[in-house]
Amino acid sequence: MILATDLDGTFLGGEPADQKSLYAWINGHEKFQLVFVSGRGLASILPLFEDPRIPKPDFIICDVGATLVEGRSLEPVEPLQSLIEERWPGSEKVAALLSTVQGLVRQEVPQQRRCSYFYDQQTDIESLKKKVEQLNCELILSAGKFADVLPGGVNKGYSLQLLARQYRMNKDHVLVAGDTFNDLSLFKSGYKGVVVGNAEPGLPEATAHLPGIYHATREGAGGILEAMHHFAWLQHPVTR
Ligand SMILES: [Mg+2]
């Protein structure tokens, strides 16, 4: 079994008791594979390795899909990483073109092969879309405030599919989990999935018609446990 999960609001979200149950269950099942699929940059994920309770991932997909590394060595997964790199025009070029978009503010966070911004209702989204298209890049808007510009065609779902193909992961054994619109591509990849209880408004509706997607009541880690039970990965519901 393979859990490919978003971090903030999902794997790291929910009640502390649910987090504890989920992490302990994963740590107790050696053959279980874990993939982090996050909007964070790698540098912002590494501090999690210092928390002994949090299970170590087998792979990390971060930068909203633009970075793929092996969980133990933190070495790039090749040739996939190079394939993504080739499609990136370079942060300077992207930042220069987007500097004229009204109401767009660059995020000061560690990031690779992507440029992340804040947007709001004042932002000229049409102009942003046009310029991103001009760059042959991918634009992902999420949580009502994050705008990520990524290499063309790259998103969380795309990168997970590349990884799954390279490592011959059985499609039926994968469960994806997320809470915002940057996770939508995961839900559209054809795997089983869970939209956790605290999802961004609109995401439950956007995923309602997709087959194999479970909409949990509980938040974050609790929602993942709920889905593991729903898909019969757990013999019994994990109670708090
Ligand atoms: Mg999230």
Side-chain angles (χ1 to χ4, degrees):
M1 295 297 173
I2 300 148
L3 174 66
T5 179
D6 168 56
L7 293 176
D8 298 289
T10 309
F11 192 71
L12 301 177
E15 298 286 334
D18 284 334
Q19 295 172 6
K20 204 175 149 197
S21 301
L22 177 63
Y23 304 163
W25 190 89
I26 293 173
N27 282 329
H29 290 76
E30 233 173 63
K31 285 188 179 161
F32 191 88
Q33 284 198 302
L34 183 63
V35 184
F36 286 168
V37 193
S38 179
R40 295 191 191 191
L42 187 58
S44 324
I45 289 177
L46 297 184
L48 299 177
F49 282 65
E50 284 157 31
D51 187 336
R53 296 171 313 139
I54 298 179
K56 305 283 177 282
D58 297 278
F59 296 99
I60 301 171
I61 296 172
C62 51
D63 290 302
V64 207
T67 298
L68 287 100
V69 300
E70 206 273 324
R72 305 271 182 268
S73 65
L74 301 179
E75 291 293 326
V77 176
E78 293 295 0
L80 307 181
Q81 187 65 85
S82 301
L83 206 117
I84 289 170
E85 184 83 51
E86 280 168 19
R87 296 194 209 161
W88 183 235
S91 300
E92 281 179 19
K93 193 174 169 188
V94 174
L97 190 66
L98 298 189
S99 64
T100 54
V101 177
Q102 289 211 347
L104 197 63
V105 178
R106 185 94 187 258
Q107 283 184 44
E108 298 296 331
V109 291
Q111 45 192 260
Q112 293 174 287
R113 291 166 289 279
R114 60 145 171 168
C115 287
S116 297
Y117 296 86
F118 292 113
Y119 77 95
D120 59 23
Q121 289 175 340
Q122 318 301 328
T123 308
D124 186 348
I125 298 288
E126 281 317 305
S127 152
L128 171 62
K129 282 183 179 165
K130 229 176 262 171
K131 287 182 171 164
V132 169
E133 209 170 287
Q134 215 175 308
L135 288 160
N136 280 326
C137 284
E138 175 100 356
L139 174 66
I140 298 172
L141 303 176
S142 68
K145 59 182 173 181
F146 300 130
D148 286 297
V149 181
L150 295 154
V154 172
N155 51 48
K156 287 184 174 186
Y158 173 79
S159 296
L160 178 61
Q161 287 181 72
L162 287 183
L163 190 74
R165 206 174 308 146
Q166 176 147 321
Y167 289 92
R168 302 207 170 129
M169 295 173 181
N170 184 331
K171 197 168 176 243
D172 296 331
H173 293 174
V174 177
L175 175 69
V176 300
D179 72 321
T180 70
F181 270 95
N182 78 12
D183 302 310
L184 183 59
S185 60
L186 287 175
F187 297 123
K188 286 185 169 174
S189 299
Y191 302 112
K192 290 186 190 72
V194 52
V195 176
V196 293
N198 50 302
E200 176 175 359
L203 188 64
E205 292 78 8
T207 51
H209 64 286
L210 297 172
I213 304 299
Y214 176 74
H215 295 83
T217 309
R218 278 147 77 185
E219 302 188 353
I224 297 176
L225 285 170
E226 217 181 287
M228 287 165 72
H229 177 61
H230 173 82
F231 291 116
W233 283 17
L234 300 176
Q235 296 286 344
H236 306 286
V238 175
T239 49
R240 293 180 200 161

